[in-house]
Amino acid sequence: MDHTLLLEYLALCLYTLFLGFSFCDGFNLPVSKKLVCFIPFVLICIYVLKVKGHFVLELILPVPTLLAFLLCANERRKTLKASSPK
């Protein structure tokens, strides 16, 4: 029995755990910005699964990762700007 789909799903679950709890929470992103990152992730996962019949991680991971980096960099910039002496 081929467990490829299960392993791909497990990899996506671990990625979601890392992205959501470690990365986004580490930068104290508000829930609305986390949703901006996770909704495209879910939509891309569903689309790729429907079209390809399995999860293709190379097609799924770049967009939410880039969104997470951009959102967290923006949040960090705002935090540094707010805490800088005037």
Side-chain angles (χ1 to χ4, degrees):
M1 184 173 178
D2 188 23
H3 296 292
T4 305
L5 186 63
L6 181 63
L7 291 174
E8 291 168 346
Y9 180 73
L10 178 63
L12 288 173
C13 289
L14 291 173
Y15 171 80
T16 304
L17 182 71
F18 168 73
L19 185 69
F21 294 112
S22 301
F23 196 70
C24 291
D25 284 346
F27 283 94
N28 295 323
L29 284 180
V31 174
S32 60
K33 289 187 180 181
K34 288 180 190 176
L35 290 175
V36 167
C37 186
F38 284 112
I39 289 174
F41 172 69
V42 170
L43 293 176
I44 292 169
C45 286
I46 292 169
Y47 177 77
V48 168
L49 181 61
K50 187 175 182 180
V51 170
K52 299 285 186 179
H54 60 95
F55 296 111
V56 182
L57 301 179
E58 304 86 39
L59 297 175
I60 296 171
L61 298 184
V63 172
T65 303
L66 180 62
L67 278 172
F69 279 126
L70 292 174
L71 290 170
C72 290
N74 186 38
E75 193 68 27
R76 175 136 170 95
R77 184 181 49 82
K78 284 181 185 178
T79 304
L80 290 175
K81 190 182 232 185
S83 66
S84 67
K86 298 191 182 200

